Amino acid sequence: MNLLEGKKVLIFGIANKRSIAWGIAKTFHEHGAEIGFSYGIPQLERRVRPLAAQIGVEFVEICDVSSDDAIDALFAKAEAHFGQIDILIHSVAYAPREELTGKFLDTSREGFAQAMDISAYSLVALVRRAAPLMVDGGSIVCMTYYGAEKVVPHYNVMGVAKAALEATTRYLAAEMGEQNIRVNAISAGPIKTLSAAGIAGFRKMLKYTEERNPLRRNVSQEEVGRSALYLCSDLASGVTGEVIHVDAGYHILGMPEPVEEL
Ligand code: NAD
């Protein structure tokens, strides 16, 4: 079944084959979408272009989402290439590495501002430019994490930025509904990616959740991709402003027990 036949999709946040955005791109390609990629820094081009070629993506453009000029330039190119778009995927986050270790209390003013700008405000900035191109309505999905809701060791300022991103999702959903544009978030469980490697103790976190998750395993990029497919297809035509957990059930646990004691 081709759930995205004829749909035009812009995906922000592919860094390499481990990226969650790549899991989404592969799934959307399998379902007939026409896809464009945007990546954050020049050094990523040599990794992103071969991935694009694998699934026939022709539109591959750099865009630093902390720059309004860069975003304007990107959307001008997207309009020239696609005409209109139907789906936007925001899979972008950043906080300086030193903010993702040690104490939250030591968060710097600059680190806080940068994490909020790149990881949360950028959704507003992208949706403002995407909305005029979504002439037949559309679907927008961003990526969040449980550290927005509860304290997770070392996630620190990124947890605050994700809380802002989730609230941003709701505020945007409320305003964009008039244009039949839906805005949702996926709260993914931990997955080994380039960004995740910047969080102190991430490997231990993976093992911890693998042993305690109700499904007794972690989730994959492809599973996140399939939930994004649901949110961006007509299957979710009545869903907006939602945060869907794709975390093998971790968020339902009040007091996770070690598996051997169950
Ligand atoms: P990733 O490193 O593959 O992707 C993060 C992307 O953000 C990269 O492509 C990077 O280039 C991009 N980026 C950073 N700063 C940017 C900027 N200024 N302009 C443009 N792009 C910029 O890692 P990922 O884990 O696939 O992360 C994707 C999203 O998923 C992020 O929002 C992340 O917080 C979220 N997430 C990840 C996990 C996990 O465990 N990996 C869990 C839940 C949510």
Short mmCIF file of all heavy atoms in Angstrom, two decimals, residues 99-166:
data_model
loop_
_atom_site.label_atom_id
_atom_site.label_comp_id
_atom_site.label_asym_id
_atom_site.label_seq_id
_atom_site.Cartn_x
_atom_site.Cartn_y
_atom_site.Cartn_z
N GLU A 99 27.03 20.88 27.92
CA GLU A 99 25.75 21.05 28.63
C GLU A 99 25.08 19.70 28.89
O GLU A 99 24.10 19.63 29.63
CB GLU A 99 24.79 21.94 27.82
CG GLU A 99 25.36 23.28 27.39
CD GLU A 99 25.58 24.26 28.55
OE1 GLU A 99 25.29 23.89 29.71
OE2 GLU A 99 26.06 25.37 28.29
N LEU A 100 25.58 18.64 28.23
CA LEU A 100 24.93 17.33 28.34
C LEU A 100 25.72 16.38 29.23
O LEU A 100 25.68 15.17 29.07
CB LEU A 100 24.72 16.73 26.93
CG LEU A 100 23.90 17.61 25.99
CD1 LEU A 100 23.85 17.02 24.60
CD2 LEU A 100 22.48 17.81 26.53
N THR A 101 26.44 16.97 30.16
CA THR A 101 27.17 16.22 31.16
C THR A 101 27.16 17.10 32.42
O THR A 101 26.91 18.29 32.33
CB THR A 101 28.60 15.89 30.67
OG1 THR A 101 29.22 15.06 31.63
CG2 THR A 101 29.44 17.13 30.45
N GLY A 102 27.37 16.51 33.56
CA GLY A 102 27.39 17.32 34.77
C GLY A 102 26.01 17.82 35.16
O GLY A 102 24.99 17.22 34.81
N LYS A 103 26.00 18.97 35.88
CA LYS A 103 24.74 19.43 36.49
C LYS A 103 23.94 20.38 35.61
O LYS A 103 24.52 21.27 34.98
CB LYS A 103 25.07 20.17 37.78
CG LYS A 103 25.50 19.28 38.91
CD LYS A 103 25.63 20.12 40.16
CE LYS A 103 25.67 19.24 41.39
NZ LYS A 103 25.67 20.02 42.62
N PHE A 104 22.62 20.23 35.66
CA PHE A 104 21.74 21.18 34.96
C PHE A 104 21.94 22.59 35.51
O PHE A 104 21.90 23.58 34.76
CB PHE A 104 20.28 20.75 35.11
CG PHE A 104 19.32 21.75 34.54
CD1 PHE A 104 19.29 21.98 33.16
CD2 PHE A 104 18.46 22.47 35.36
CE1 PHE A 104 18.40 22.92 32.62
CE2 PHE A 104 17.59 23.41 34.82
CZ PHE A 104 17.56 23.63 33.44
N LEU A 105 22.19 22.67 36.80
CA LEU A 105 22.38 23.97 37.45
C LEU A 105 23.53 24.77 36.81
O LEU A 105 23.53 26.00 36.86
CB LEU A 105 22.68 23.74 38.94
CG LEU A 105 22.74 24.96 39.86
CD1 LEU A 105 21.39 25.68 39.88
CD2 LEU A 105 23.13 24.54 41.27
N ASP A 106 24.46 24.07 36.21
CA ASP A 106 25.61 24.75 35.60
C ASP A 106 25.37 25.15 34.14
O ASP A 106 26.29 25.61 33.46
CB ASP A 106 26.85 23.84 35.67
CG ASP A 106 27.30 23.64 37.12
OD1 ASP A 106 27.08 24.58 37.92
OD2 ASP A 106 27.83 22.56 37.44
N THR A 107 24.16 24.96 33.65
CA THR A 107 23.85 25.34 32.25
C THR A 107 24.22 26.80 32.02
O THR A 107 23.82 27.68 32.79
CB THR A 107 22.33 25.16 31.97
OG1 THR A 107 21.97 23.82 32.30
CG2 THR A 107 22.01 25.44 30.51
N SER A 108 24.94 27.06 30.93
CA SER A 108 25.33 28.44 30.63
C SER A 108 24.19 29.16 29.90
O SER A 108 23.33 28.53 29.27
CB SER A 108 26.57 28.45 29.74
OG SER A 108 26.25 27.97 28.46
N ARG A 109 24.21 30.48 29.98
CA ARG A 109 23.20 31.28 29.27
C ARG A 109 23.27 31.02 27.76
O ARG A 109 22.26 30.85 27.10
CB ARG A 109 23.45 32.77 29.56
CG ARG A 109 22.39 33.70 29.03
CD ARG A 109 22.72 35.15 29.35
NE ARG A 109 22.73 35.45 30.77
CZ ARG A 109 21.65 35.77 31.51
NH1 ARG A 109 20.48 35.84 30.92
NH2 ARG A 109 21.74 36.03 32.79
N GLU A 110 24.51 30.93 27.25
CA GLU A 110 24.69 30.73 25.80
C GLU A 110 24.21 29.34 25.39
O GLU A 110 23.54 29.17 24.38
CB GLU A 110 26.17 30.87 25.40
CG GLU A 110 26.77 32.24 25.62
CD GLU A 110 27.01 32.59 27.10
OE1 GLU A 110 27.18 31.67 27.94
OE2 GLU A 110 27.00 33.79 27.43
N GLY A 111 24.56 28.34 26.23
CA GLY A 111 24.16 26.96 25.91
C GLY A 111 22.64 26.82 25.93
O GLY A 111 22.05 26.14 25.07
N PHE A 112 22.01 27.46 26.90
CA PHE A 112 20.54 27.40 27.02
C PHE A 112 19.91 28.02 25.78
O PHE A 112 19.01 27.44 25.15
CB PHE A 112 20.12 28.17 28.27
CG PHE A 112 18.69 27.99 28.66
CD1 PHE A 112 18.33 27.10 29.66
CD2 PHE A 112 17.69 28.74 28.05
CE1 PHE A 112 16.99 26.94 30.03
CE2 PHE A 112 16.35 28.58 28.42
CZ PHE A 112 16.01 27.68 29.41
N ALA A 113 20.40 29.22 25.41
CA ALA A 113 19.82 29.93 24.27
C ALA A 113 20.01 29.14 22.97
O ALA A 113 19.09 29.05 22.14
CB ALA A 113 20.44 31.32 24.15
N GLN A 114 21.20 28.56 22.81
CA GLN A 114 21.48 27.82 21.58
C GLN A 114 20.61 26.56 21.47
O GLN A 114 20.08 26.25 20.40
CB GLN A 114 22.97 27.46 21.52
CG GLN A 114 23.43 27.13 20.13
CD GLN A 114 24.92 26.89 20.04
OE1 GLN A 114 25.60 26.72 21.06
NE2 GLN A 114 25.44 26.84 18.84
N ALA A 115 20.49 25.84 22.59
CA ALA A 115 19.66 24.63 22.58
C ALA A 115 18.21 24.98 22.24
O ALA A 115 17.56 24.30 21.44
CB ALA A 115 19.73 23.92 23.94
N MET A 116 17.69 26.05 22.83
CA MET A 116 16.30 26.47 22.57
C MET A 116 16.13 26.91 21.12
O MET A 116 15.13 26.60 20.48
CB MET A 116 15.94 27.64 23.49
CG MET A 116 15.68 27.21 24.89
SD MET A 116 14.24 26.13 24.95
CE MET A 116 13.37 26.89 26.25
N ASP A 117 17.11 27.64 20.62
CA ASP A 117 17.02 28.19 19.26
C ASP A 117 16.99 27.07 18.22
O ASP A 117 16.07 26.96 17.40
CB ASP A 117 18.22 29.13 19.02
CG ASP A 117 18.17 29.79 17.66
OD1 ASP A 117 17.05 29.92 17.11
OD2 ASP A 117 19.22 30.17 17.15
N ILE A 118 18.01 26.20 18.30
CA ILE A 118 18.15 25.16 17.25
C ILE A 118 17.14 24.03 17.44
O ILE A 118 16.62 23.49 16.47
CB ILE A 118 19.60 24.62 17.23
CG1 ILE A 118 20.56 25.74 16.84
CG2 ILE A 118 19.73 23.44 16.27
CD1 ILE A 118 22.03 25.36 16.87
N SER A 119 16.83 23.70 18.69
CA SER A 119 16.01 22.50 18.93
C SER A 119 14.52 22.80 19.04
O SER A 119 13.70 21.91 18.85
CB SER A 119 16.47 21.82 20.23
OG SER A 119 17.87 21.70 20.26
N ALA A 120 14.14 24.04 19.37
CA ALA A 120 12.71 24.35 19.55
C ALA A 120 12.25 25.48 18.62
O ALA A 120 11.35 25.29 17.81
CB ALA A 120 12.44 24.71 21.01
N TYR A 121 12.89 26.65 18.70
CA TYR A 121 12.42 27.77 17.87
C TYR A 121 12.45 27.42 16.38
O TYR A 121 11.59 27.86 15.61
CB TYR A 121 13.23 29.06 18.11
CG TYR A 121 12.74 30.13 17.18
CD1 TYR A 121 11.52 30.77 17.42
CD2 TYR A 121 13.42 30.43 15.99
CE1 TYR A 121 11.00 31.69 16.52
CE2 TYR A 121 12.92 31.34 15.09
CZ TYR A 121 11.71 31.97 15.36
OH TYR A 121 11.20 32.88 14.46
N SER A 122 13.43 26.61 15.98
CA SER A 122 13.56 26.28 14.56
C SER A 122 12.27 25.68 13.99
O SER A 122 11.98 25.84 12.81
CB SER A 122 14.74 25.32 14.34
OG SER A 122 14.51 24.11 15.03
N LEU A 123 11.48 25.01 14.83
CA LEU A 123 10.22 24.45 14.32
C LEU A 123 9.29 25.59 13.87
O LEU A 123 8.67 25.52 12.81
CB LEU A 123 9.55 23.57 15.38
CG LEU A 123 8.23 22.92 14.93
CD1 LEU A 123 8.47 21.93 13.78
CD2 LEU A 123 7.55 22.20 16.09
N VAL A 124 9.22 26.64 14.69
CA VAL A 124 8.39 27.80 14.32
C VAL A 124 8.90 28.39 13.00
O VAL A 124 8.12 28.67 12.08
CB VAL A 124 8.44 28.89 15.42
CG1 VAL A 124 7.54 30.06 15.06
CG2 VAL A 124 8.07 28.32 16.78
N ALA A 125 10.21 28.57 12.94
CA ALA A 125 10.81 29.20 11.77
C ALA A 125 10.56 28.39 10.49
O ALA A 125 10.25 28.95 9.44
CB ALA A 125 12.32 29.38 11.99
N LEU A 126 10.64 27.07 10.60
CA LEU A 126 10.43 26.22 9.41
C LEU A 126 8.95 26.19 9.02
O LEU A 126 8.60 26.28 7.84
CB LEU A 126 10.93 24.80 9.66
CG LEU A 126 12.43 24.61 9.88
CD1 LEU A 126 12.78 23.12 9.94
CD2 LEU A 126 13.27 25.28 8.80
N VAL A 127 8.08 26.07 10.03
CA VAL A 127 6.64 25.98 9.72
C VAL A 127 6.15 27.28 9.09
O VAL A 127 5.33 27.26 8.16
CB VAL A 127 5.83 25.61 10.98
CG1 VAL A 127 4.34 25.71 10.72
CG2 VAL A 127 6.19 24.21 11.45
N ARG A 128 6.68 28.42 9.56
CA ARG A 128 6.24 29.70 8.97
C ARG A 128 6.54 29.75 7.47
O ARG A 128 5.76 30.28 6.70
CB ARG A 128 6.91 30.86 9.70
CG ARG A 128 6.28 32.18 9.34
CD ARG A 128 6.46 33.26 10.38
NE ARG A 128 7.85 33.60 10.54
CZ ARG A 128 8.49 33.61 11.71
NH1 ARG A 128 7.86 33.27 12.81
NH2 ARG A 128 9.75 33.96 11.78
N ARG A 129 7.69 29.20 7.06
CA ARG A 129 8.02 29.20 5.62
C ARG A 129 7.32 28.07 4.88
O ARG A 129 7.02 28.19 3.69
CB ARG A 129 9.53 29.02 5.41
CG ARG A 129 10.34 30.29 5.43
CD ARG A 129 10.44 30.86 6.80
NE ARG A 129 11.49 31.85 6.94
CZ ARG A 129 12.03 32.18 8.12
NH1 ARG A 129 11.62 31.61 9.24
NH2 ARG A 129 12.95 33.11 8.19
N ALA A 130 7.07 26.95 5.56
CA ALA A 130 6.46 25.80 4.88
C ALA A 130 4.98 26.02 4.62
O ALA A 130 4.45 25.60 3.58
CB ALA A 130 6.66 24.53 5.71
N ALA A 131 4.30 26.69 5.56
CA ALA A 131 2.84 26.80 5.49
C ALA A 131 2.33 27.37 4.15
O ALA A 131 1.39 26.81 3.57
CB ALA A 131 2.31 27.62 6.67
N PRO A 132 2.95 28.44 3.61
CA PRO A 132 2.44 28.96 2.32
C PRO A 132 2.59 27.96 1.17
O PRO A 132 1.89 28.07 0.16
CB PRO A 132 3.32 30.20 2.07
CG PRO A 132 3.89 30.57 3.39
CD PRO A 132 4.02 29.28 4.16
N LEU A 133 3.51 27.00 1.34
CA LEU A 133 3.70 25.99 0.27
C LEU A 133 2.76 24.79 0.45
O LEU A 133 2.66 23.94 -0.44
CB LEU A 133 5.15 25.50 0.25
CG LEU A 133 6.24 26.56 0.06
CD1 LEU A 133 7.61 25.90 -0.07
CD2 LEU A 133 5.95 27.41 -1.17
N MET A 134 2.08 24.73 1.61
CA MET A 134 1.19 23.60 1.88
C MET A 134 -0.23 23.96 1.42
O MET A 134 -1.15 24.10 2.23
CB MET A 134 1.23 23.23 3.36
CG MET A 134 2.57 22.65 3.78
SD MET A 134 2.61 22.12 5.50
CE MET A 134 3.91 20.89 5.45
N VAL A 135 -0.39 24.12 0.12
CA VAL A 135 -1.65 24.66 -0.40
C VAL A 135 -2.82 23.67 -0.27
O VAL A 135 -3.98 24.07 -0.25
CB VAL A 135 -1.49 25.12 -1.87
CG1 VAL A 135 -0.65 26.37 -1.94
CG2 VAL A 135 -0.89 24.03 -2.73
N ASP A 136 -2.50 22.38 -0.18
CA ASP A 136 -3.57 21.38 0.00
C ASP A 136 -3.62 20.87 1.44
O ASP A 136 -4.05 19.75 1.69
CB ASP A 136 -3.32 20.18 -0.93
CG ASP A 136 -3.43 20.56 -2.39
OD1 ASP A 136 -4.22 21.47 -2.69
OD2 ASP A 136 -2.71 19.96 -3.22
N GLY A 137 -3.17 21.68 2.39
CA GLY A 137 -3.05 21.21 3.77
C GLY A 137 -1.73 20.46 3.92
O GLY A 137 -0.95 20.37 2.97
N GLY A 138 -1.51 19.93 5.11
CA GLY A 138 -0.24 19.22 5.26
C GLY A 138 -0.07 18.59 6.62
O GLY A 138 -0.96 18.66 7.48
N SER A 139 1.08 17.97 6.78
CA SER A 139 1.40 17.33 8.05
C SER A 139 2.85 17.63 8.42
O SER A 139 3.74 17.54 7.58
CB SER A 139 1.19 15.81 7.93
OG SER A 139 1.60 15.18 9.13
N ILE A 140 3.04 18.01 9.69
CA ILE A 140 4.37 18.34 10.18
C ILE A 140 4.64 17.44 11.39
O ILE A 140 3.78 17.31 12.26
CB ILE A 140 4.43 19.83 10.57
CG1 ILE A 140 4.32 20.68 9.30
CG2 ILE A 140 5.70 20.16 11.34
CD1 ILE A 140 3.78 22.05 9.50
N VAL A 141 5.83 16.86 11.41
CA VAL A 141 6.20 16.00 12.55
C VAL A 141 7.58 16.39 13.04
O VAL A 141 8.51 16.57 12.25
CB VAL A 141 6.18 14.50 12.15
CG1 VAL A 141 6.78 13.63 13.25
CG2 VAL A 141 4.75 14.04 11.87
N CYS A 142 7.70 16.55 14.37
CA CYS A 142 9.02 16.81 14.96
C CYS A 142 9.35 15.69 15.95
O CYS A 142 8.49 14.89 16.31
CB CYS A 142 9.05 18.17 15.65
SG CYS A 142 7.95 18.29 17.08
N MET A 143 10.62 15.66 16.35
CA MET A 143 11.11 14.56 17.19
C MET A 143 11.43 15.07 18.60
O MET A 143 12.19 16.02 18.76
CB MET A 143 12.40 14.00 16.60
CG MET A 143 12.26 13.44 15.20
SD MET A 143 11.05 12.15 15.08
CE MET A 143 11.54 11.17 16.47
N THR A 144 10.84 14.40 19.59
CA THR A 144 11.11 14.79 20.97
C THR A 144 11.54 13.57 21.79
O THR A 144 11.72 12.47 21.24
CB THR A 144 9.88 15.49 21.58
OG1 THR A 144 10.20 15.95 22.89
CG2 THR A 144 8.66 14.59 21.63
N TYR A 145 11.72 13.79 23.09
CA TYR A 145 12.20 12.70 23.95
C TYR A 145 11.58 12.88 25.35
O TYR A 145 11.28 14.00 25.78
CB TYR A 145 13.74 12.71 24.01
CG TYR A 145 14.31 11.70 24.98
CD1 TYR A 145 14.06 10.34 24.80
CD2 TYR A 145 15.05 12.11 26.09
CE1 TYR A 145 14.54 9.41 25.71
CE2 TYR A 145 15.54 11.18 26.99
CZ TYR A 145 15.28 9.83 26.80
OH TYR A 145 15.74 8.91 27.70
N TYR A 146 11.46 11.76 26.05
CA TYR A 146 10.86 11.68 27.38
C TYR A 146 11.49 12.65 28.39
O TYR A 146 10.86 13.07 29.35
CB TYR A 146 11.01 10.24 27.86
CG TYR A 146 10.29 9.88 29.13
CD1 TYR A 146 8.92 10.04 29.24
CD2 TYR A 146 10.99 9.35 30.22
CE1 TYR A 146 8.26 9.69 30.41
CE2 TYR A 146 10.34 8.99 31.38
CZ TYR A 146 8.97 9.17 31.47
OH TYR A 146 8.32 8.82 32.63
N GLY A 147 12.75 13.02 28.15
CA GLY A 147 13.42 14.00 29.02
C GLY A 147 12.72 15.35 29.06
O GLY A 147 13.06 16.21 29.88
N ALA A 148 11.73 15.56 28.17
CA ALA A 148 10.89 16.77 28.23
C ALA A 148 9.90 16.68 29.38
O ALA A 148 9.46 17.70 29.92
CB ALA A 148 10.11 16.93 26.92
N GLU A 149 9.50 15.44 29.74
CA GLU A 149 8.43 15.25 30.73
C GLU A 149 8.98 14.95 32.11
O GLU A 149 8.41 15.36 33.12
CB GLU A 149 7.55 14.06 30.31
CG GLU A 149 6.91 14.20 28.95
CD GLU A 149 6.34 12.86 28.48
OE1 GLU A 149 5.48 12.30 29.18
OE2 GLU A 149 6.78 12.37 27.42
N LYS A 150 10.05 14.18 32.16
CA LYS A 150 10.65 13.74 33.42
C LYS A 150 12.15 13.98 33.36
O LYS A 150 12.73 14.03 32.28
CB LYS A 150 10.39 12.23 33.64
CG LYS A 150 8.93 11.83 33.63
CD LYS A 150 8.23 12.20 34.91
CE LYS A 150 6.76 11.78 34.85
NZ LYS A 150 5.97 12.33 35.93
N VAL A 151 12.74 14.04 34.53
CA VAL A 151 14.19 14.29 34.59
C VAL A 151 14.96 13.04 34.18
O VAL A 151 14.73 11.96 34.74
CB VAL A 151 14.59 14.72 36.01
CG1 VAL A 151 16.10 14.85 36.13
CG2 VAL A 151 13.91 16.03 36.38
N VAL A 152 15.81 13.17 33.21
CA VAL A 152 16.67 12.07 32.75
C VAL A 152 18.12 12.52 32.95
O VAL A 152 18.48 13.62 32.50
CB VAL A 152 16.41 11.76 31.25
CG1 VAL A 152 17.41 10.75 30.71
CG2 VAL A 152 14.98 11.25 31.06
N PRO A 153 18.94 11.70 33.62
CA PRO A 153 20.31 12.13 33.90
C PRO A 153 21.06 12.62 32.65
O PRO A 153 20.98 11.97 31.60
CB PRO A 153 20.98 10.86 34.45
CG PRO A 153 19.86 10.02 34.95
CD PRO A 153 18.67 10.36 34.11
N HIS A 154 21.73 13.74 32.78
CA HIS A 154 22.58 14.34 31.74
C HIS A 154 21.82 14.95 30.55
O HIS A 154 22.44 15.56 29.69
CB HIS A 154 23.62 13.35 31.19
CG HIS A 154 24.45 12.70 32.25
ND1 HIS A 154 25.19 13.44 33.15
CD2 HIS A 154 24.63 11.41 32.57
CE1 HIS A 154 25.79 12.60 33.96
NE2 HIS A 154 25.47 11.37 33.66
N TYR A 155 20.50 14.72 30.47
CA TYR A 155 19.77 15.29 29.33
C TYR A 155 19.65 16.81 29.51
O TYR A 155 19.57 17.56 28.54
CB TYR A 155 18.41 14.61 29.18
CG TYR A 155 17.85 14.71 27.78
CD1 TYR A 155 18.56 14.20 26.69
CD2 TYR A 155 16.62 15.30 27.55
CE1 TYR A 155 18.04 14.29 25.40
CE2 TYR A 155 16.09 15.39 26.27
CZ TYR A 155 16.81 14.89 25.20
OH TYR A 155 16.31 14.98 23.93
N ASN A 156 19.61 17.23 30.75
CA ASN A 156 19.77 18.65 31.13
C ASN A 156 19.00 19.63 30.25
O ASN A 156 17.80 19.49 30.07
CB ASN A 156 21.26 18.99 31.17
CG ASN A 156 21.99 18.23 32.27
OD1 ASN A 156 21.38 17.48 33.02
ND2 ASN A 156 23.29 18.43 32.39
N VAL A 157 19.71 20.59 29.67
CA VAL A 157 19.04 21.67 28.93
C VAL A 157 18.27 21.14 27.73
O VAL A 157 17.30 21.76 27.29
CB VAL A 157 20.07 22.74 28.50
CG1 VAL A 157 21.01 22.23 27.42
CG2 VAL A 157 19.37 24.01 28.05
N MET A 158 18.68 19.97 27.22
CA MET A 158 17.94 19.43 26.08
C MET A 158 16.53 19.02 26.51
O MET A 158 15.59 19.10 25.73
CB MET A 158 18.71 18.25 25.48
CG MET A 158 18.17 17.81 24.14
SD MET A 158 18.02 19.13 22.92
CE MET A 158 19.66 19.12 22.28
N GLY A 159 16.37 18.60 27.76
CA GLY A 159 15.03 18.28 28.28
C GLY A 159 14.15 19.53 28.29
O GLY A 159 12.97 19.48 27.93
N VAL A 160 14.74 20.65 28.67
CA VAL A 160 13.99 21.92 28.69
C VAL A 160 13.64 22.33 27.26
O VAL A 160 12.51 22.78 26.98
CB VAL A 160 14.82 23.01 29.40
CG1 VAL A 160 14.11 24.34 29.37
CG2 VAL A 160 15.11 22.58 30.84
N ALA A 161 14.58 22.15 26.35
CA ALA A 161 14.32 22.51 24.94
C ALA A 161 13.24 21.60 24.35
O ALA A 161 12.39 22.05 23.58
CB ALA A 161 15.62 22.41 24.13
N LYS A 162 13.26 20.33 24.73
CA LYS A 162 12.23 19.41 24.20
C LYS A 162 10.86 19.74 24.79
O LYS A 162 9.84 19.59 24.11
CB LYS A 162 12.59 17.95 24.49
CG LYS A 162 13.78 17.43 23.69
CD LYS A 162 13.56 17.48 22.19
CE LYS A 162 14.63 16.73 21.43
NZ LYS A 162 14.60 17.02 19.98
N ALA A 163 10.82 20.17 26.05
CA ALA A 163 9.54 20.60 26.64
C ALA A 163 9.00 21.79 25.83
O ALA A 163 7.80 21.86 25.53
CB ALA A 163 9.73 20.97 28.11
N ALA A 164 9.90 22.71 25.47
CA ALA A 164 9.49 23.86 24.66
C ALA A 164 9.03 23.39 23.28
O ALA A 164 8.05 23.91 22.72
CB ALA A 164 10.66 24.84 24.52
N LEU A 165 9.72 22.40 22.72
CA LEU A 165 9.34 21.88 21.41
C LEU A 165 7.94 21.25 21.45
O LEU A 165 7.12 21.43 20.54
CB LEU A 165 10.37 20.85 20.93
CG LEU A 165 10.14 20.27 19.54
CD1 LEU A 165 10.42 21.30 18.45
CD2 LEU A 165 11.02 19.03 19.31
N GLU A 166 7.64 20.52 22.52
CA GLU A 166 6.33 19.88 22.64
C GLU A 166 5.23 20.94 22.78
O GLU A 166 4.15 20.84 22.19
CB GLU A 166 6.31 18.88 23.80
CG GLU A 166 7.21 17.68 23.51
CD GLU A 166 7.21 16.61 24.60
OE1 GLU A 166 6.35 16.66 25.51
OE2 GLU A 166 8.09 15.73 24.53
#
